[in-house]
Amino acid sequence: MLPLRPVCGGIWRAAVHTVRMSRGAPPYRLFSSTCDGAPAALADADTIFALSSGHGRCGVAVVRVSGPASATALRCMAGFTQRLPPPRTALLRSITDPRSTEVLDRGLVLWFPAPRSFSGEDSVEFHIHGGPAVVTAVLQALGSVPGLRPAEAGEFTRRAFQAGKLGLTEVEGLGDLIHAETEAQRRQALRQMSGELGRLYQDWSDRLKRCLAHVEAFIDFSEDELIEDGVLNRVDVSVSDLQAEIERHLKDERRGERLRSGVQVVIAGATNAGKSSLLNKLCQRPAAIVSPIAGTTRDVVETALDLGGFPVLLSDTAGLRDSSDLVEREGVRRARERVEQADLTLVVVDSHLRSVLPDTGTVPCVCLLMHRLCLLVLNKADLLPEKQRQKLDTELRGVSGLPAVRLISCQTNEGLKAFLTVLHSSVKTLCGDPLFGAPTLTQARHRAHLQRCAAALAQYQRYRDTDLALAAEGVRLAVTSLGRITGRVGAEEILDIIFKDFCIGK
Amino acid sequence: MLSIVFFSASVNQLLRCASHMLRKKLPFLHSLLSPVSRHVGHLTGHQYDVIVVGGGHAGTEAAAAAARVGAETLLITQKIHTIGALSCNPSLGGVGKGQLVKEVDALDGLCGRAGDWAGIHFSILNRRKGPAVWGPRAQLDRQRYRDFIQSELLSTPRLTMVEGSVEELLVTEPNPEEPGHHRVTGIRLANGSHAISARSVVLTTGTFLSGSLFVGQTTSPGGRIGDAPSSAGLSHTLRERLGLRTGRLRTGTPPRIVKDSVDLSLAKLHLPDSHPTPFSFLNTHTHCKPEEQLPCYLTFTTPGVERVVRESLQLNCHIQQDTKGPRYCPSIESRVLRFPGRSHQVWLEPEGVTSDLLYPQGLSMTMPPDIQLRLIREIPPMRRAEIHTPGYGVQYDFVCPTQLSPALQVKSTQGLFLAGQINGTTGYEEAAAQGLWAGANAARSALSMPTVTLSRTESYIGVLIDDLVSRGVTEPYRMFTSRAEFRTSLRPDNADLRLTPKGRCFEEVGCVSSVRYQESLRVRNSLQDALTALQALFLSTSSWKKKLPSVPISETKSTLLTGLDLLQYNDVTFEMLASAFPESLSSFMEFAQRLKIEAVYKPHCDLNKKEIERIQREENMSLPQDIDYFSLPVSLSDEVREILDRVRPSTLGAATRLEGITPAAVVNLLNYVRVTEKKKETHRNQRQQEAQRDEELCANSASLPQ
């Protein structure tokens, strides 16, 4: 984390305070670059697929497949039974589901044999209609082709880089790109993990870790230690329960939880900065109660908006402050959680409070600290005397590295139009991000990992009585597969559970 | 003195000739030991390739490995006769640890053969849990173990041993062509201020680095009871002169009990394996005859033990300290405090064939001696027991091992290597493994050969070293099989296949004798031939049923099965197949057990292979040690730069395993490594071309008419 320099008063303190408050909870690490996190990126024998075009309203969506089994996908989904199409030529085909042979869509397919493709491997592109139903169906169909799995963050780009397909100048920007992708995925995963599905996965993960710890303890210690034989029997029960639960979950065709889609825009800031007024202005109706009393908004108020064609989910949150009121404290907690999951944060600051500019070093902290997109909204411009307004203006110009700042008044509508333009372009940029809000992609990924997890648990059952090392390998694989959804599990964590549960000493 | 050393070398050759079979008699050499190496005067001014400081498990393996690689080596220890002493438990191996012993042996180290010579109770732990996690283990005769190690070292060519205490490490300006802030040039001994120079120094000081001993409320400086404390000078050099970060750890040892005073009839008898399995790949049997093995005994603590611990807490300094001790080898005090109201196991182990003592494993304690006696007498078989030597605790400094390279060299100091407890580990086997690797690398570095590393994908030694140098330690580090990601591939049975060929060729490590190398080749080729022969047996299920009527083969499965497929069945042994197909298989009977294991694990190892290759690829991309992460012209966040600067991973593989390193950072580093490697290569090519040009020029000018 970046060091926070002391902040003087004024707007900047208010803004930085918002950031600090919103970072109350430790950051989650869902995608790490460790053994079971990133590596998929460097292992290239698998064939991967992903939606490569942006989200939002688009006529055509592009799904890319890369890897040795690309030709198989092309054969069984675009009906090329005899021979493959000529390379790099667009052909209009019916795209079918290989399991049911049902026609999913009619679209263009392109075949790029290695090495003349973006990734340097055999690749296929499906250009299909952009509706979410079609995209979901095609992605699910691809997932059923043997040897194919959903791509990890940045995997296509990384393969291209490994194959020497990207020049140095292109590579320069690659890190930032992948960072952006993982960041988008992290936000998305956070949204899901905080829901019911997340709790389910977390529970499975905890139980699996415990199973693994107990098997490992039995292997590493039991001979001359006091580990009761019952340990393994309990693991047996746990493993078969888990296996059954995961398989049942995979068979469940209902979507467990409706994912909230759209760009998540969160309004945050100190109490009485005018956050609810801004929400009401943006949705053009009194969706939230507005009053001069600090702490009026206590819960998250959500509104779905259409912003120049892009879906936006706008949330107003409780003003961030330390409060002894239980209800308000819960509201502040929810507000922080929302900011953590936001794609874009509107930090609202009361401009007429004070406008003493602190040492400039603190200001970039606002955006850097957040590691995410934010807009700084200086509200209550109408209360600002002309002289102070000019002073503020010059001060703002003197600071580099600020997020976009807009001076507005929810009272007089001053500056609102300019603000909307900035907001619109930010949302538009977000929607161009191929990973943004693509629940189908994430779900396909989850499914693949869960299937692998269940298969690995079957390995435990198979070897339980003959070779415990191979049985344990099954549980290890299961933990790793689930870890790709819930976060990495290291050897140390397993040892911690062992020492907590057993008195081991020799 | 030198003549005596040469004499011992010739004896060694004799010994080596006989080393195929297990030596029946140890040479008389250890009686010569003390006169050999007491005078150090003439050593001053002598230039050694490698100096090893310390004569424990790490030191002895380091010295022997360095000499095997070809370095003129000097081992300095406080007391010659404690070389190879087992300071704590009289046993070797176990789950995870046994794998390390097998690997040290595969690289021609000492401890496996010493264990086979000194073992008096052999057993394979985890026998029912699968060959990948078998734990070969032995109770040892302390005297025999020490004798073996000492005679082995004495008969090692190029190795000299000397008694002395090292006062100071001599360092000078670094070699500018290599990374580092200092370069080691030798050591200075205490009293007499002899300076002895060397190109590499291996420190294996164990618990002696600022060590203090604890019994009850008294504390005294020292690393082991009965031995003088080592000088504070070494500690000072490491911390102040070299600026190394150190931490503090603690450990302890139980009281030794007079055997005759224990009523063993009240304890549970625990017998060894009826057929002892040797540790070493070179031995077919152990020195101890099966029927001569000694038993161990198992007993349990009582509520009285817990009472004594609680009553004496205020008299127990060691336990009150918050220095980190091992969670998995806790003192009896921490066991009863952490898990009260339970009965804890205590093993009563023999200390040797002729020893009058018992070692009560699980009873490490630091209370005053009179209370120790009260405590052990709360355990039924020891109601009237007498204590020979009380238990005590040790606290000592360790050097944070993240400051080391995977060759176990201190990154900031050229030529300085560390191994054993000084790196924060615990256990003989962990120490021996590091010692061997540090010694081999110290020798290579002294002989101007590049240092070498072992991957965590190919050995437990690699796992151990990688964990140490890339993650560091927070408590004494012990090996567990659960630490190895590729446990099913890194088995005790195949350590020779994994490591011996690697250790043989001079370009690789150069620490394996030709006898061992030839043997490992023979084994490898035979196993390969046998597997090929098994795969060539290609029969239908019905024919298999006729051949092996007792095996339940389901006919619905597959119509054609190979011998290898059949060997994967639970109830099929290689012996059964060999008797069905004697013409093609009977010649491989010697490897029956290994073939069965290979067959069962093959599909899983094949699955591992892809992941292993990926990790190895990343590990082959080394990151320069002198890299300035803060000014590196690639896109990295400040957070990532800070982590990289702090840990300084040696390879891209190590970097990816660090907490807090993002995928983006890995790609950027990958890019950096690629580009710099390419540059280096072109540079090298250019230099080669220039050299070629120069040669041609010389040749041309030589042929020019005068």
Side-chain angles (χ1 to χ4, degrees):
Chain A
M1 186 188 295
L2 284 160
L4 251 188
R5 289 183 212 159
V7 183
C8 311
I11 292 162
W12 312 115
R13 178 190 287 165
V16 170
H17 183 68
T18 305
V19 171
R20 270 185 182 164
M21 295 284 279
S22 70
R23 289 186 64 86
Y28 290 77
R29 281 189 57 81
L30 287 161
F31 298 94
S32 78
S33 57
T34 41
C35 281
D36 39 31
L42 291 173
D44 30 23
D46 292 352
T47 300
I48 54 172
F49 63 89
L51 174 67
S52 294
S53 54
H55 194 71
R57 287 182 187 173
C58 52
V60 176
V62 177
V63 175
R64 231 175 208 168
V65 185
S66 173
S70 299
T72 319
L74 192 59
R75 279 206 174 88
C76 61
M77 285 181 61
F80 292 101
T81 41
Q82 297 301 316
R83 68 170 89 127
L84 289 165
R88 296 174 298 283
T89 308
L91 293 172
L92 182 66
R93 307 290 295 191
S94 292
I95 293 155
T96 55
D97 188 320
R99 295 163 297 187
S100 61
T101 64
E102 171 199 356
V103 175
L104 303 171
D105 192 17
R106 265 179 82 74
L108 296 178
V109 292
L110 288 107
W111 163 236
F112 302 91
R116 291 178 64 187
S117 71
F118 166 69
S119 60
E121 305 174 310
D122 282 354
S123 307
V124 170
E125 278 182 15
F126 294 94
H127 296 221
I128 50 177
H129 290 101
V134 174
V135 173
T136 310
V138 170
L139 289 177
Q140 279 181 351
L142 279 169
S144 73
V145 176
L148 263 66
R149 64 166 172 80
E152 300 283 327
E155 209 173 350
F156 277 102
T157 334
R158 204 176 297 195
R159 286 186 181 200
F161 169 62
Q162 284 211 311
K165 284 279 168 181
L166 291 177
L168 263 182
T169 38
E170 288 158 297
V171 166
E172 283 296 295
L174 182 65
D176 303 323
L177 174 71
I178 290 175
H179 189 78
E181 286 180 17
T182 43
E183 180 57 24
Q185 286 200 337
R186 190 189 67 84
R187 283 197 306 267
Q188 196 172 52
L190 264 181
R191 268 175 225 163
Q192 290 167 25
M193 296 310 284
S194 60
E196 226 160 278
L197 204 58
R199 274 192 295 278
L200 179 69
Y201 292 165
Q202 199 55 56
D203 170 61
W204 284 344
S205 172
D206 290 345
R207 281 158 63 192
L208 259 183
K209 275 188 264 179
R210 211 175 181 75
C211 286
L212 181 58
H214 287 197
V215 178
E216 296 288 7
F218 194 75
I219 286 175
D220 270 335
F221 298 99
S222 80
E223 290 272 330
D224 34 359
E225 318 287 343
L226 276 176
I227 290 185
E228 319 83 72
D229 285 340
V231 166
L232 225 44
N233 296 336
R234 284 204 296 279
V235 172
D236 294 346
V237 175
S238 260
V239 165
S240 55
D241 284 356
L242 273 164
Q243 200 186 344
E245 281 175 46
I246 293 173
E247 273 162 8
R248 215 178 308 135
H249 178 80
L250 281 169
K251 275 194 203 114
D252 192 357
E253 286 299 326
R254 283 172 300 147
R255 295 286 174 78
E257 198 179 2
R258 252 196 89 76
L259 291 166
R260 289 163 290 169
S261 59
V263 182
Q264 305 257 325
V265 178
V266 173
I267 307 178
T271 48
N272 248 4
K275 297 180 295 300
S276 301
S277 304
L278 183 61
L279 176 89
N280 293 345
K281 274 287 162 220
L282 287 173
C283 63
Q284 296 174 319
R285 67 185 171 92
I289 304 168
V290 177
S291 86
I293 302 160
T296 305
T297 309
R298 293 183 156 202
D299 202 349
V300 178
V301 178
E302 251 178 24
T303 326
L305 286 183
D306 185 323
L307 201 70
F310 296 103
V312 167
L313 195 76
L314 186 65
S315 326
D316 179 25
T317 61
L320 298 172
R321 67 168 174 185
D322 292 319
S323 167
S324 55
D325 184 318
L326 251 155
V327 179
E328 189 174 354
R329 241 192 336 217
E330 172 61 17
V332 172
R333 192 194 64 76
R334 289 184 184 188
R336 285 179 192 157
E337 196 179 82
R338 243 346 128 84
V339 172
E340 189 61 29
Q341 302 169 0
D343 294 313
L344 174 67
T345 312
L346 305 179
V347 180
V348 182
V349 176
D350 184 345
S351 66
H352 96 293
L353 262 183
R354 268 162 311 210
S355 64
V356 194
L357 196 67
D359 62 318
T360 51
T362 58
V363 179
C365 287
V366 178
C367 34
L368 281 178
L369 253 180
M370 306 189 79
H371 270 303
R372 62 171 62 87
L373 219 50
C374 72
L375 294 181
L376 193 53
V377 183
L378 307 182
N379 192 17
K380 307 194 186 177
D382 52 307
L383 298 178
L384 212 59
E386 192 54 39
K387 229 171 89 187
Q388 225 174 321
R389 187 183 289 222
Q390 277 168 5
K391 199 173 151 211
L392 182 67
D393 207 39
T394 35
E395 277 173 350
L396 282 176
R397 243 175 261 151
V399 185
S400 62
L402 268 184
V405 186
R406 280 293 169 271
L407 186 64
I408 63 157
S409 164
C410 290
Q411 205 63 43
T412 62
N413 286 351
E414 180 197 336
L416 209 62
K417 206 170 164 197
F419 166 69
L420 275 172
T421 316
V422 176
L423 183 62
H424 181 245
S425 75
S426 306
V427 168
K428 200 173 156 189
T429 316
L430 276 170
C431 286
D433 180 344
L435 275 153
F436 150 78
T440 46
L441 185 65
T442 325
Q443 282 178 345
R445 241 167 42 87
H446 285 188
R447 221 181 155 72
H449 294 317
L450 289 175
Q451 270 159 351
R452 242 177 279 170
C453 181
L457 289 177
Q459 179 175 334
Y460 173 84
Q461 317 270 25
R462 188 159 71 249
Y463 289 105
R464 158 70 171 80
D465 296 318
T466 53
D467 191 316
L468 207 56
L470 292 178
E473 184 90 350
V475 188
R476 280 179 170 201
L477 284 172
V479 169
T480 315
S481 307
L482 204 56
R484 294 211 165 199
I485 307 178
T486 59
R488 178 199 173 229
V489 182
E492 280 303 314
E493 199 178 333
I494 299 301
L495 285 171
D496 280 341
I497 300 179
I498 294 180
F499 293 120
K500 222 181 299 161
D501 287 7
F502 303 106
C503 175
I504 285 152
K506 3 182 334 197
Chain B
M1 177 205 141
L2 277 176
S3 62
I4 302 179
V5 173
F6 287 142
F7 163 71
S8 61
S10 59
V11 172
N12 168 64
Q13 276 141 23
L14 290 176
L15 278 178
R16 297 235 157 198
C17 297
S19 77
H20 266 302
M21 294 149 283
L22 198 86
R23 282 162 238 160
K24 283 291 170 204
K25 236 179 207 165
L26 270 181
F28 54 96
L29 284 171
H30 73 270
S31 54
L32 283 173
L33 244 166
S34 339
V36 165
S37 344
R38 282 262 153 82
H39 318 288
V40 290
H42 69 280
L43 296 178
T44 24
H46 192 91
Q47 163 85 43
Y48 282 93
D49 293 322
V50 176
I51 290 178
V52 176
V53 182
H57 297 270
T60 52
E61 293 288 358
R68 285 202 303 278
V69 170
E72 251 340 293
T73 306
L74 177 70
L75 186 153
I76 304 174
T77 180
Q78 291 201 15
K79 280 188 200 160
I80 290 278
H81 80 263
T82 59
I83 286 181
L86 302 162
S87 312
C88 196
N89 52 312
S91 60
L92 185 74
V95 180
K97 288 165 171 277
Q99 270 88 336
L100 284 174
V101 176
K102 299 290 275 189
E103 291 187 358
V104 168
D105 182 68
L107 290 168
D108 229 354
L110 311 174
C111 68
R113 284 178 293 130
D116 290 342
W117 175 264
I120 48 173
H121 172 122
F122 289 85
S123 62
I124 297 227
L125 305 184
N126 275 353
R127 184 151 328 245
R128 286 171 302 139
K129 294 179 199 161
V133 294
W134 281 355
R137 185 176 186 277
Q139 295 296 145
L140 304 174
D141 181 303
R142 287 181 190 278
Q143 188 59 45
R144 283 190 192 168
Y145 191 87
R146 205 157 64 188
D147 289 349
F148 184 93
I149 296 280
Q150 290 183 2
S151 91
E152 187 74 17
L153 290 184
L154 250 195
S155 58
T156 301
R158 295 181 289 274
L159 176 59
T160 312
M161 284 173 279
V162 73
E163 212 163 64
S165 181
V166 174
E167 172 66 39
E168 195 192 342
L169 209 54
L170 303 175
V171 287
T172 180
E173 292 301 306
N175 173 355
E177 287 185 5
E178 287 163 33
H181 308 306
H182 313 276
R183 181 164 57 89
V184 78
T185 58
I187 54 104
R188 187 185 304 285
L189 289 175
N191 30 348
S193 69
H194 293 294
I196 310 175
S197 48
R199 292 196 181 86
S200 304
V201 172
V202 187
L203 293 182
T204 67
T205 49
T207 56
F208 281 83
L209 204 62
S210 306
S212 24
L213 303 176
F214 289 77
V215 187
Q217 287 172 298
T218 56
T219 308
S220 55
R224 177 168 58 198
I225 226 148
D227 287 326
S230 69
S231 76
L234 198 55
S235 220
H236 178 83
T237 322
L238 291 178
R239 260 200 307 258
E240 309 301 328
R241 180 89 170 79
L242 302 183
L244 294 178
R245 268 177 296 120
T246 60
R248 210 152 168 78
L249 292 172
R250 71 173 177 193
T251 185
T253 193
R256 309 299 195 265
I257 314 291
V258 177
K259 196 178 188 174
D260 288 344
S261 65
V262 180
D263 183 356
L264 290 171
S265 67
L266 295 177
K268 202 176 142 206
L269 184 72
H270 186 83
L271 293 173
D273 289 353
S274 51
H275 296 287
T277 315
F279 289 106
S280 176
F281 288 101
L282 290 185
N283 290 332
T284 50
H285 57 276
T286 60
H287 177 58
C288 184
K289 290 201 183 77
E291 65 279 10
E292 284 168 358
Q293 295 186 91
L294 299 180
C296 289
Y297 297 89
L298 175 62
T299 181
F300 294 89
T301 61
T302 59
V305 168
E306 197 171 323
R307 204 173 52 241
V308 175
V309 168
R310 289 190 185 279
E311 281 170 11
S312 63
L313 273 188
Q314 74 286 358
L315 301 173
N316 198 336
C317 275
H318 191 63
I319 197 74
Q320 290 161 17
Q321 310 261 337
D322 51 2
T323 316
K324 285 277 190 168
R327 283 184 296 184
Y328 31 75
C329 186
S331 59
I332 188 65
E333 291 96 327
S334 26
R335 292 173 86 183
V336 302
L337 293 177
R338 272 183 53 210
F339 294 92
R342 286 203 204 173
S343 168
H344 300 273
Q345 280 186 330
V346 175
W347 288 93
L348 300 172
E349 302 176 344
E351 292 240 316
V353 178
T354 55
S355 170
D356 310 325
L357 303 180
L358 282 178
Y359 178 92
Q361 189 182 145
L363 283 186
S364 150
M365 57 179 88
T366 53
M367 52 198 68
D370 54 321
I371 303 181
Q372 293 194 14
L373 190 64
R374 254 179 67 202
L375 186 147
I376 63 158
R377 290 188 171 181
E378 292 290 341
I379 300 171
M382 295 192 271
R383 289 252 184 268
R384 287 182 195 78
E386 294 296 337
I387 288 179
H388 178 270
T389 322
Y392 59 93
V394 193
Q395 295 194 8
Y396 56 96
D397 279 355
F398 73 99
V399 175
C400 300
T402 48
Q403 300 165 103
L404 306 179
S405 75
L408 294 175
Q409 177 170 8
V410 175
K411 287 178 192 167
S412 64
T413 309
Q414 298 164 0
L416 180 62
F417 295 78
L418 308 180
Q421 273 170 306
I422 194 172
N423 290 340
T425 61
T426 172
Y428 303 155
E429 304 80 0
E430 287 82 352
Q434 292 172 67
L436 184 142
W437 206 244
N441 271 311
R444 291 178 61 90
S445 155
L447 303 174
S448 308
M449 293 186 278
T451 56
V452 282
T453 55
L454 274 179
S455 161
R456 64 185 298 129
T457 59
E458 64 188 345
S459 64
Y460 275 78
I461 302 180
V463 172
L464 166 72
I465 294 175
D466 186 54
D467 279 350
L468 289 178
V469 303
S470 55
R471 303 173 56 103
V473 296
T474 50
E475 63 178 331
Y477 180 100
R478 174 184 149 179
M479 184 47 74
F480 299 111
T481 67
S482 51
R483 295 194 193 273
E485 290 87 350
F486 302 106
R487 184 164 61 188
T488 45
S489 305
L490 311 184
R491 301 187 309 268
D493 62 278
N494 66 8
D496 56 342
L497 300 185
R498 290 186 277 121
L499 296 176
T500 307
K502 198 175 175 76
R504 168 59 186 166
C505 27
F506 206 65
E507 293 72 27
E508 288 258 21
V509 185
C511 65
V512 169
S513 69
S514 91
V515 172
R516 186 183 288 271
Y517 180 63
Q518 294 306 331
E519 170 65 8
S520 86
L521 283 192
R522 185 186 73 86
V523 171
R524 190 179 65 187
N525 295 338
S526 308
L527 286 174
Q528 264 164 8
D529 292 348
L531 290 175
T532 315
L534 280 167
Q535 266 167 327
L537 297 174
F538 207 57
L539 301 180
S540 68
T541 41
S542 50
S543 328
W544 278 115
K545 276 196 145 173
K546 269 177 224 144
K547 282 279 185 188
L548 304 168
S550 62
V551 182
I553 302 169
S554 81
E555 266 181 272
T556 50
K557 255 190 167 179
S558 158
T559 42
L560 284 174
L561 289 173
T562 67
L564 199 60
D565 295 330
L566 256 280
L567 199 48
Q568 286 168 13
Y569 279 57
N570 286 336
D571 25 22
V572 174
T573 62
F574 183 78
E575 286 86 345
M576 287 160 71
L577 292 176
S579 60
F581 300 93
E583 64 289 351
S584 60
L585 297 180
S586 61
S587 56
F588 303 113
M589 277 306 291
E590 172 191 359
F591 303 107
Q593 190 186 46
R594 288 187 72 158
L595 284 167
K596 169 77 185 170
I597 299 174
E598 287 287 341
V600 171
Y601 279 83
K602 197 169 177 299
H604 304 277
C605 295
D606 289 348
L607 275 181
N608 277 345
K609 224 176 219 159
K610 204 171 77 183
E611 183 72 1
I612 288 178
E613 278 165 9
R614 180 188 63 74
I615 292 185
Q616 281 177 347
R617 241 192 346 258
E618 288 175 359
E619 279 176 347
N620 283 336
M621 299 183 189
S622 54
L623 298 170
Q625 282 310 296
D626 50 351
I627 207 167
D628 179 4
Y629 284 107
F630 289 106
S631 66
L632 207 63
V634 292
S635 163
L636 295 173
S637 75
D638 288 349
E639 198 181 340
V640 165
R641 283 177 199 270
E642 213 168 274
I643 296 170
L644 290 171
D645 182 65
R646 183 159 39 83
V647 183
R648 306 212 141 260
S650 314
T651 63
L652 192 73
T656 57
R657 281 190 290 278
L658 292 175
E659 192 70 32
I661 300 295
T662 58
V666 172
V667 170
N668 282 324
L669 279 176
L670 184 75
N671 167 35
Y672 178 80
V673 172
R674 286 268 168 92
V675 173
T676 41
E677 268 181 2
K678 215 175 256 171
K679 267 189 204 155
K680 254 192 249 163
E681 209 162 276
T682 34
H683 188 65
R684 212 179 298 136
N685 287 345
Q686 269 172 4
R687 269 207 310 218
Q688 264 171 6
Q689 281 168 4
E690 274 165 28
Q692 233 167 17
R693 253 203 317 275
D694 286 350
E695 263 172 42
E696 279 164 20
L697 230 74
C698 285
N700 286 346
S701 55
S703 64
L704 278 177
Q706 295 295 314

